[in-house]
Amino acid sequence: TQELHIVGGGMAGSEAAWQAANMGVQVVLHEMRPKVKTFAHQTGNLGEMVCSNSFRSDDSEQNAVGLLHWEMRAADGLIIDTAHRHRLPAGGALAVDREPFAETVTARLKAHANIRISYEEITDLPADGQWIIATGPLTSQGLGAAIQARTGSDALAFFDAIAPIVYYDSIDMSKAWMQSRYDKGETEEEQRAYLNCPMDKETYEAFIDALLAADKTEFHEGETAGYFDGCLPIEVMAERGRETLRHGPMKPVGLTNPHQPDVKAHAVVQLRRDNALGTLFNIVGFQTKMKYGAQKEVLRMIPGLENAQFARLGGIHRNTFLNSPTLLDAQMRLKSQPNIRFAGQITGVEGYVESAAMGLLAGRLAAAEILGRDLPPLPQDSAHGALVHHITGGAEAKTFQPMNVNFGLFRPLDGVRGGRRGRKDRYRGYTDRAKEVWTDWLAAQRVDAAAAE
Ligand code: FAD
């Protein structure tokens, strides 16, 4: 049978190789390190953790990342199993001893009879063969240019400028209201795409003070260059003048506050619906380099967001990623060239765990295609399914930015389990449902594999 080529031996590529090889496919894993380096990686190991040593929460009942852990373990995931082998005490989080972790990942892949590792940089998208591109946020320049030539320059970003994302149900609608500026949009659906939070002069001035005083992160060396066009951090706008934001993303025009129709707001913070389900809203134009703790404090000064819960906080980083909602099909293949799949952070997910999870799926999907097996449809109510559905279809393509897994991506629960239950119950409902459908999906593949033999 055909070989599977995987480019990039990070979180996603390592997991993809493991999954495909375990299904009986011959895998060639191409990794450019240690020959070609990135600014963040320190070693030539596969599965190197570039920054923190945490896989975040391991709680599979109340946390969406913990649920991904659970699903990956059920699917014999290499990354998650190795992480557990090198676990460090860290409360509810899965923290790992990073060097032995990456050494073990490397050793297990090297020892696998169906995997060959080729240390080289790939700089093209090959026309033939089955390929998975899992080259991550720091994809080499040559390959980045080749992808851009294929997808068009608007479809591949080299920086993310992430505006914070808020859970709709944590917004105080007795202060905020739904309206698009100048009531643009034909359908009710379009008019419900925006939500507004009004500020009086005093609140605005206090907000600017807090922005200027907040703790910010510095860029990594080698990370900057040219990011400033079109996506200035809000604090940089505020530094340029106290009124700049009021004439930019916070301009109070074209809007009427139904709670106080006679009062003209001094400034308005606008949020835009971030997914088809309407459970997530991003704060328009609020990309920021504020540290996470400071960000929460400052953003909760916005009227209506006093109790906001964040699906993700804002940031600006060097990050190569595709506009997956327009480019990829539901099987993570490039629509214009289906022999190429993408996996990991380059598909627009964010984080070690999410990247490994997308590698797990891509590896299984590619292997099934090579073996001529039909996998049962991926269950959207699993954490893997919810995440891949978001990036390949559920997210707004125009404003697409990298996403962490979170419960806002899950379809609402119906019947007894849904409705007005408390948050704890709801999360338990999501995770129970996910485990059930994921277990069924894995079991169906085992039956299928047995039938194919
Ligand atoms: P990587 O793990 O980066 O793997 C990609 C691999 O592809 C690398 O080994 C690279 O050498 C190789 N490669 C690239 N181009 C080529 C080529 N042309 N040919 C062959 N090989 C190639 N996430 C977290 O959860 N926690 C964090 O603390 C965190 N910190 C981060 C800090 C930085 C500076 C960056 C850039 C990202 C960080 N991330 C973090 C985000 C992200 O989750 C990780 O980068 C994660 O490793 C992504 O997994 P991946 O497999 O997609 O990419």
Side-chain angles (χ1 to χ4, degrees):
T1 52
Q2 212 179 5
E3 282 180 330
L4 172 62
H5 293 269
I6 299 176
V7 188
M11 294 298 154
S14 298
E15 187 64 53
W18 181 255
Q19 295 290 330
N22 283 347
M23 286 170 69
V25 167
Q26 298 294 320
V27 175
V28 186
L29 180 56
H30 306 264
E31 169 54 56
M32 68 177 186
R33 291 177 296 115
K35 284 186 201 154
V36 182
K37 298 180 168 37
T38 78
F39 79 80
H41 293 86
Q42 307 288 324
T43 72
N45 286 333
L46 304 173
E48 179 179 328
M49 303 175 86
V50 285
C51 185
S52 109
N53 70 331
S54 171
F55 283 97
R56 306 179 357 244
S57 173
D58 201 31
D59 174 357
S60 76
E61 292 182 356
Q62 290 293 316
N63 189 290
V65 176
L67 177 61
L68 266 186
H69 291 186
W70 189 97
E71 292 183 5
M72 289 197 278
R73 292 198 98 183
D76 299 321
L78 169 72
I79 294 294
I80 198 71
D81 179 62
T82 311
H84 275 272
R85 291 188 192 186
H86 295 287
R87 180 170 201 158
L88 297 172
L94 177 54
V96 309
D97 198 355
R98 70 173 75 228
E99 289 240 343
F101 164 78
E103 279 161 14
T104 305
V105 169
T106 309
R108 291 176 77 180
L109 290 168
K110 278 193 171 156
H112 201 297
N114 293 345
I115 299 175
R116 180 163 67 81
I117 298 163
S118 169
Y119 289 98
E120 60 178 332
E121 179 190 358
I122 301 291
T123 54
D124 224 339
L125 289 182
D128 306 310
Q130 283 285 343
W131 291 75
I132 297 176
I133 310 296
T135 44
L138 309 176
T139 294
S140 75
Q141 216 177 1
L143 186 62
I147 297 171
Q148 199 168 40
R150 175 61 46 111
T151 58
S153 58
D154 291 348
L156 184 74
F158 293 99
F159 279 95
D160 55 28
I162 296 171
I165 296 178
V166 182
Y167 289 108
Y168 172 73
D169 63 10
S170 70
I171 300 172
D172 181 352
M173 292 305 288
S174 70
K175 293 185 183 157
W177 75 97
M178 294 254 179
Q179 184 188 11
S180 69
R181 213 184 282 284
Y182 299 111
D183 296 311
K184 277 199 191 125
E186 310 270 292
T187 60
E188 196 189 331
E189 168 108 353
E190 284 164 339
Q191 286 168 13
R192 291 180 69 81
Y194 289 91
L195 218 154
N196 308 283
C197 300
M199 267 191 196
D200 58 22
K201 186 161 194 300
E202 214 172 288
T203 313
Y204 179 80
E205 295 299 335
F207 181 75
I208 299 294
D209 287 337
L211 260 186
L212 295 174
D215 258 355
K216 286 129 199 156
T217 356
E218 300 299 322
F219 274 101
H220 293 268
E221 202 182 329
E223 202 184 5
T224 47
Y227 86 95
F228 272 131
D229 352 328
C231 64
L232 279 181
I234 41 169
E235 60 275 10
V236 174
M237 285 190 246
E239 274 162 21
R240 294 190 171 180
R242 296 184 71 89
E243 293 293 296
T244 308
L245 279 168
R246 233 166 62 75
H247 297 292
M250 293 175 71
K251 57 179 177 287
V253 300
L255 297 162
T256 317
N257 180 354
H259 307 302
Q260 286 180 304
D262 304 328
V263 181
K264 181 109 187 69
H266 187 68
V268 173
V269 175
Q270 236 190 0
L271 290 86
R272 186 194 294 121
R273 198 175 57 191
D274 202 66
N275 62 348
L277 294 172
T279 50
L280 301 174
F281 277 76
N282 70 67
I283 313 184
V284 181
F286 267 45
Q287 57 274 1
T288 171
K289 293 285 280 181
M290 277 188 285
K291 289 197 172 150
Y292 284 176
Q295 233 180 96
K296 284 189 203 166
E297 265 176 44
V298 172
L299 296 174
R300 286 181 183 143
M301 293 172 73
I302 299 170
L305 302 189
E306 292 86 349
N307 298 308
Q309 294 295 324
F310 296 93
R312 68 161 308 163
L313 287 159
I316 300 177
H317 309 94
R318 167 82 170 80
N319 190 7
T320 311
F321 68 99
L322 298 170
N323 192 276
S324 294
T326 52
L327 294 174
L328 301 186
D329 69 12
Q331 294 237 0
M332 308 166 80
R333 290 175 296 214
L334 199 54
K335 287 179 194 161
S336 63
Q337 194 184 331
N339 70 317
I340 308 272
R341 274 190 170 74
F342 284 87
Q345 182 118 349
I346 197 167
T347 62
V349 297
E350 165 82 28
Y352 300 143
V353 181
E354 288 85 342
S355 297
M358 294 302 99
L360 187 151
L361 284 184
R364 284 189 174 232
L365 292 167
E369 192 169 329
I370 289 172
L371 297 168
R373 282 187 206 151
D374 284 329
L375 288 190
L378 184 68
Q380 197 187 326
D381 295 328
S382 63
H384 281 80
L387 190 56
V388 79
H389 175 77
H390 177 78
I391 60 171
T392 60
E396 291 291 340
K398 265 197 229 152
T399 55
F400 185 61
Q401 286 291 339
M403 189 53 127
N404 282 129
V405 71
N406 65 78
F407 287 125
L409 305 180
F410 287 64
R411 290 194 285 201
L413 297 156
D414 33 54
V416 215
R417 291 166 138 199
R420 310 208 154 269
R421 295 185 312 174
R423 192 184 311 150
K424 255 191 143 169
D425 268 6
R426 208 150 28 91
Y427 288 177
R428 186 62 196 266
Y430 288 135
T431 55
D432 282 351
R433 180 179 67 177
K435 288 172 186 175
E436 198 176 307
V437 295
W438 184 251
T439 304
D440 289 348
W441 189 65
L442 293 175
Q445 289 171 60
R446 274 192 281 274
V447 173
D448 199 46
E453 269 154 19

